[in-house]
Amino acid sequence: MAASLRIRNSSLLLTRFLNSATLPRPRWLQTVAYEELRANPEKPYTSTAVFIHGFLGSSRNWRSFSRNLLASLSNSSPSTNWRTVMLDMRNHGKSTERELNPPHNIESAAKDLADLVKAEGWPWPEVVVGHSMGGKVALQFAESCSRGDYGHSVLSPKQLWVLDSVPGKVNPENRNDEVRDVLATLQSLPKQFPSRKWLVSHLMELGYSKALSDWIGTNVKKVGDHETWIFDLENAKEMFDSYCEKSYWNLLEKPPKGMEIVILRAEKSDRWDQDAIERIQKLASERGSDSFGKVSFCVLPNAGHWVHVDNPKGLLEIMAPKILCS
């Protein structure tokens, strides 16, 4: 499936390619689903930025921002032809229809990206962007690339963006307890229910906000005369537990040579404690060396955790210039 659209005030063309979940692959070639956008579909792309969404999200969360990013990159550097690849992580979006081997954890989710690059015969991406849980998947991908886990021909990304994702273990006192509560609630519900509308209404009756209830409601599909979850709840819980337990402070203390890791905190985010903020600031202030890469730290103003929704313009203004320098 391909579609072309025109960006306002620009002749830039974008083409989206959907990696259809209906196209069969041999069992050993099963990969995650993805969407692709190109700045100029008529020419070979020169660089790639991969986007990895957060828990219970999907590739479509980053579709609009990717369009705007490509437009900005193309306008600022016409000689380049960037593309973006937006993944559906395992157990999310169209990847729920793929047969992906367990365990369902951060390491496997990162390897899924490496397997996709190999299966499609792509060059290794120059930039990897991860939001929330996707931020830790991005960090794991960078760590595994630098260790040679995916083979010695792998090229590590030049730039890694970790968007409002604390790199250490999750503090049980922060708002991730809300996600645990949501998971427990979903596990208590029947596996089948009348409609998405019923689900949203039921969750609101249980005290969840309309925004959160609507977000959860995007993860259902129609089967016959009822709705059911698009993901396996046990697999989703396994991924969330892995996200909470993983820590990447060691990676940030010695970033791979030639790599910039950009940690972005949303100004109004409730995911960070002061210790984590100060630790990132200290790492970002240290002078780099020839042996290691570097860590950068920035704050997105006027935004909560949903950075691409709360302040997409501000996020674009931070990311585009840095990506062009990668």
Side-chain angles (χ1 to χ4, degrees):
M1 169 183 176
S4 295
L5 47 90
R6 191 171 296 275
I7 297 285
R8 184 180 54 167
N9 298 328
S10 172
S11 60
L12 173 69
L13 289 178
L14 297 174
T15 300
R16 184 179 75 208
F17 302 93
L18 296 182
N19 178 242
S20 171
T22 61
L23 295 177
R25 287 177 181 264
R27 181 73 175 88
W28 62 277
L29 277 180
Q30 285 287 295
T31 60
V32 290
Y34 67 91
E35 295 187 25
E36 179 181 349
L37 288 166
R38 295 194 188 187
N40 187 340
E42 306 302 322
K43 298 179 181 179
Y45 59 84
T46 58
S47 304
T48 299
V50 172
F51 283 81
I52 310 172
H53 61 80
F55 186 59
L56 298 187
S58 70
S59 59
R60 65 184 178 183
N61 296 153
W62 287 94
R63 192 182 295 161
S64 176
F65 182 83
S66 288
R67 290 190 185 110
N68 293 332
L69 176 64
L70 287 175
S72 178
L73 296 176
S74 181
N75 289 336
S76 299
S77 181
S79 63
T80 62
N81 186 25
W82 279 83
R83 70 163 182 162
T84 57
V85 174
M86 295 151 285
L87 303 187
D88 277 337
M89 277 197 295
R90 57 172 54 219
N91 303 309
H92 294 74
K94 293 184 183 298
S95 292
T96 58
E97 301 171 30
R98 305 293 174 91
E99 296 180 22
L100 299 168
N101 291 326
H104 299 286
N105 56 22
I106 297 299
E107 290 91 339
S108 295
K111 185 175 181 294
D112 288 339
L113 171 54
D115 290 344
L116 178 64
V117 171
K118 292 176 182 179
E120 296 292 343
W122 292 337
W124 292 89
E126 287 78 9
V127 176
V128 176
V129 183
H131 174 239
S132 195
M133 177 186 283
K136 281 195 172 178
V137 174
L139 288 166
Q140 180 63 52
F141 179 76
E143 185 173 82
S144 293
C145 283
S146 66
R147 284 199 309 243
D149 293 351
Y150 307 140
H152 296 296
S153 62
V154 172
L155 295 178
S156 296
K158 297 177 182 177
Q159 197 174 78
L160 207 72
W161 288 84
V162 182
L163 306 181
D164 209 48
S165 181
V166 181
K169 290 186 177 183
V170 171
N171 186 337
E173 295 180 359
N174 71 17
R175 287 291 295 274
N176 284 286
D177 268 1
E178 181 182 52
V179 180
R180 291 188 186 280
D181 183 58
V182 167
L183 280 171
T185 297
L186 300 189
Q187 288 175 309
S188 71
L189 295 175
K191 292 183 178 180
Q192 299 178 356
F193 32 87
S195 65
R196 179 181 180 276
K197 183 179 179 181
W198 177 91
L199 174 66
V200 171
S201 176
H202 182 70
L203 290 171
M204 290 177 65
E205 288 174 3
L206 293 176
Y208 295 107
S209 68
K210 186 176 189 305
L212 180 58
S213 300
D214 283 335
W215 172 57
I216 295 169
T218 63
N219 290 283
V220 300
K221 62 181 178 181
K222 193 168 185 63
V223 178
D225 60 353
H226 62 268
E227 302 270 348
T228 189
W229 302 112
I230 64 172
F231 51 75
D232 184 298
L233 277 173
E234 288 303 318
N235 291 348
K237 182 179 183 301
E238 188 177 346
M239 289 187 72
F240 182 74
D241 289 344
S242 174
Y243 157 74
C244 290
E245 287 299 316
K246 292 294 293 184
S247 174
Y248 295 95
W249 287 116
N250 288 341
L251 176 69
L252 294 178
E253 288 167 0
K254 294 182 178 180
K257 183 177 180 179
M259 182 187 299
E260 179 183 15
I261 302 178
V262 186
I263 308 293
L264 181 142
R265 179 178 71 86
E267 181 184 36
K268 300 178 181 178
S269 174
D270 53 14
R271 309 298 169 104
W272 295 76
D273 58 41
Q274 192 58 36
D275 287 344
I277 293 172
E278 291 176 0
R279 192 170 181 180
I280 287 288
Q281 289 173 331
K282 182 176 183 298
L283 289 171
S285 67
E286 292 176 352
R287 181 177 298 178
S289 72
D290 293 337
S291 301
F292 301 106
K294 66 176 181 177
V295 172
S296 300
F297 181 61
C298 50
V299 177
L300 178 65
N302 303 316
H305 183 62
W306 307 103
V307 292
H308 53 305
V309 175
D310 293 346
N311 189 1
K313 184 174 181 293
L315 183 62
L316 184 65
E317 289 172 351
I318 291 173
M319 291 185 65
K322 265 189 167 294
I323 288 176
L324 283 175
C325 293
S326 64

